[in-house]
Amino acid sequence: MAVLFVLNRYNASDWSDMMRDRAPDLDVRLWPDETGNPEDIKYVVAWNPPPGELAKYPNLKVIFSIGAGVDHLMKDPDLPAVPVVRVVDPDLTKRMTEYVVMNVLLHHRRFRLYDAQQTANAWTEHSQPAAGEVRVGIMGFGTLGRDSGVILRDLGFQVAGWSNSRKQVDGIESFAGESELDGFLGRTDILVSLLPHTPDTDRMLNSALFAKLPQDGALEGPFLINAGRGKVQSDADILTALNDGTLKGASLDVFEEEPLAAGSPLWSHPGVVLTPHVAAESSPIAINDYILDQLRGYELGEALSNVVNAKRGY
Amino acid sequence: MAVLFVLNRYNASDWSDMMRDRAPDLDVRLWPDETGNPEDIKYVVAWNPPPGELAKYPNLKVIFSIGAGVDHLMKDPDLPAVPVVRVVDPDLTKRMTEYVVMNVLLHHRRFRLYDAQQTANAWTEHSQPAAGEVRVGIMGFGTLGRDSGVILRDLGFQVAGWSNSRKQVDGIESFAGESELDGFLGRTDILVSLLPHTPDTDRMLNSALFAKLPQDGALEGPFLINAGRGKVQSDADILTALNDGTLKGASLDVFEEEPLAAGSPLWSHPGVVLTPHVAAESSPIAINDYILDQLRGYELGEALSNVVNAKRGY
C-alpha cells in the first residue's frame, strides 16, 4: 500500500516530505520520479494532475484534493470512479475570511485612492460612508461564505448570501436559487464570489451580471471580489466593466488562465487589487494532517468525510 | 442662548449648516464671521480652536469636542473651567475598527509585497502564516480598542490589550500599567496604538519602545499601526526603525504635525501605509445628533455624558 503525491505545482516535494515526516510508517511517493509499480498505489493526493494520469492506478481507492475546490480533478474525463475527498479545513476557512474581509475593507475605505495620494505626497481627506450604509453580497454561501459573512456583519456591513439552498444566519439575508439572483444582485454594492467552478457557474461573472449591480449605492458604484475560481469569471468582461464604470474596482485572486499573462491589462488597472491565487492557501501542515486523519480512518473502516458529489461537482 | 461652532478645519460650515437644518429652533453661529456678541454664547462645538479663543465667552457652559480626542482642547492653557464633552459614538467606534482590522490584515497578508508584485506584473506565491500564529497587541484598550480586539480575536489572531486598568474580554489577554508594558510588548507582532495624547503618552512610541518588540514572530519582524494621536509617536524614530529593520512596516494615520510635510520620507517608504487622519472620522450626522442630544438634555437639567476627566486628559 502506497500514497502517491501527484502535485502539478511549485512545491510538490514539500508536501510529500511533510507526510513522510509525520507518518514514517507510510510508503509515501512523489510523482513522477518515485511512482514505482502502479499497482502499489492505494491513495493519491492530487493537485491539477494531467488528465488520464489517475486512471493508471488499478488499485486506487481514494483521491484526496489538497484544496477546497475539485475542478482541477473533475475536468479529467478519465477520472477513476473512486471517492474524491476535498479539504474542508478550519484553517483554510479562516484564511479565506482574512482575504475577503481585507478586500471588502480595502474598497469600502477607498484604499486605491488613498494609496495614489500617498504616492503623490498628498494630504487630502474624503467623505467616507459607514459600513452600515454598504451592502455586501456573497455568492456561494457555504462554509467559507458564512464565516466571512459573520465577520462582515459584525463589522456593521449589510450582508446577504446567495446559494442554491437557503441558509439561516442571524442578521444575514439569504437569497436562494436562480429566481432570487436578480434581487440579490440589485442590493449588492460589493459582490464577493466564492462559487465553485461547475457547468452552472462557468463564466457566470460576466457583463450581463455586472449590469444588474446598482450604480447608486453608498460607494457610488459596485465592486467585485473573486476569491473562488477563475473560470467562474470572464476576465475580458471584468476589464470592460472596469473601463466603462460598470464596476468601480475589483479584487481578483483567480483568473481564467493561471498564472495571469504578464501582458494582461488587469495588472495595471488602477481599480484592481491583484494577487496570485493565494487568498486561501491553507497551511500545508493543516491539510496534511486532515488528509492523514481521513486516510487512517479509512484504513480502520471508517467513513470518509467531505466526499465530493460528482453530479454537483463540489 | 447661542451655539458657536469654532472649527479650525476644512469643512467647518458643513457642520454648522447641519445643526441648523436639524435644529431650526437653535441660534447656531459659525466662528469667526458669525460670532456676534460673545455674551450670547452658551455652548461651543470645537475642533482645534486657537488657544485663548474659548476664554472670550463669559457665559459659556459646555464645550463639545467633535472628536473622541480632546488634546486639541487640553493644550489651551486658558481653557475655561466648564465641562468638556467628547464624542463616544458607536459610529466612530465602528469606523476605527474598520481601519484597525484592515491594517492588521494588510500587514499580516503581506499586502505591500503583493502590491509591488502587481506593479511588476509578477505572479509569485509566498508562504503565509495563519492568523493564529500572529500576536496583535492593542495599546489603549478602552471602548475603541476592545471593539477592534473582538473582531481580530474572531479572525483568529492572538490578541492582547494594554491599558491603565485591567479589562476583562473573553479570549483576549489583558495587560495593565507600566509594570506589565514590557511583557505586553515582548509578545506583540503587530502593535496597534489607540492611545490618547497625554503627558504620560507623549512620544511614547519611540526607539526604546520599538526595541522591545520581538524580531522572531511569525511575520519575521514587528509592525506598528497608529490610529490614535500623532504626538504619541516620534516620526523620526519610526523612520529610523523602518530603515534599520526594527520595524518591518507601519500604518500611520496620524503624525506629530499634521498635515504631514510633503517632504517627509514617510510618504514614500515601501513599508508604510499612510492616510491623512481619516481612520475614524465619524459621520458628521452621527456626531451632530450626539451633540444635539446632549445639549437638549442639558437644557432640561439632565447630566452630561462622557465628560472629560481634566486630570487624566481624556
Side-chain angles (χ1 to χ4, degrees), chain A residues 118-119 121, chain B residues 264-272 274:
Chain A
Q118 181 177 346
T119 302
N121 295 26
Chain B
S264 168
L266 288 170
W267 289 102
S268 55
H269 199 286
V272 172
L274 193 157

Side-chain angles (χ1 to χ4, degrees), chain A residues 10 91 94-95 98 108-109 111-112 115 118 121 123-125 128 130-131 154 259 262 267 272 274 276 278-279, chain B residues 10 91 94-95 98 108-109 112 115 118 121 123-125 128 130-131 154 259 262 267 272 274 276 278-279:
Chain A
Y10 67 109
D91 184 67
K94 298 306 279 182
R95 284 162 191 262
E98 294 172 16
H108 170 59
R109 296 292 298 235
F111 186 83
R112 279 287 182 236
D115 215 27
Q118 181 177 346
N121 295 26
W123 183 280
T124 311
E125 303 161 58
Q128 171 63 48
D154 291 350
W267 288 103
V272 172
L274 193 157
V278 295
Chain B
Y10 66 109
D91 184 67
K94 296 308 277 182
R95 283 162 191 264
E98 294 171 15
H108 170 58
R109 295 293 297 234
R112 279 287 182 237
D115 215 26
Q118 181 177 347
N121 295 26
W123 183 280
T124 311
E125 303 161 58
Q128 172 63 48
D154 291 350
W267 289 102
V272 172
L274 193 157
V278 294

Side-chain angles (χ1 to χ4, degrees), chain A residues 288-310:
Chain A
N288 180 83
D289 291 356
Y290 168 89
I291 292 172
L292 202 51
D293 277 354
Q294 290 241 47
L295 189 156
R296 300 279 197 207
Y298 186 81
E299 288 282 307
L300 295 170
E302 297 169 8
L304 295 164
S305 309
N306 303 311
V307 175
V308 173
N309 178 326

Side-chain angles (χ1 to χ4, degrees), chain A residues 157-178:
Chain A
F157 290 99
Q158 299 176 43
V159 180
W162 179 82
S163 46
N164 283 330
S165 57
R166 200 173 306 284
K167 306 294 198 304
Q168 299 295 336
V169 183
D170 277 356
I172 297 182
E173 195 174 0
S174 174
F175 292 82
E178 197 60 31

Side-chain angles (χ1 to χ4, degrees), chain B residues 3-21:
Chain B
V3 184
L4 182 66
F5 281 68
V6 184
L7 303 178
N8 228 338
R9 50 179 285 137
Y10 66 109
N11 61 349
S13 63
D14 292 352
W15 288 82
S16 52
D17 287 349
M18 189 186 310
M19 190 168 284
R20 266 189 209 108
D21 282 352

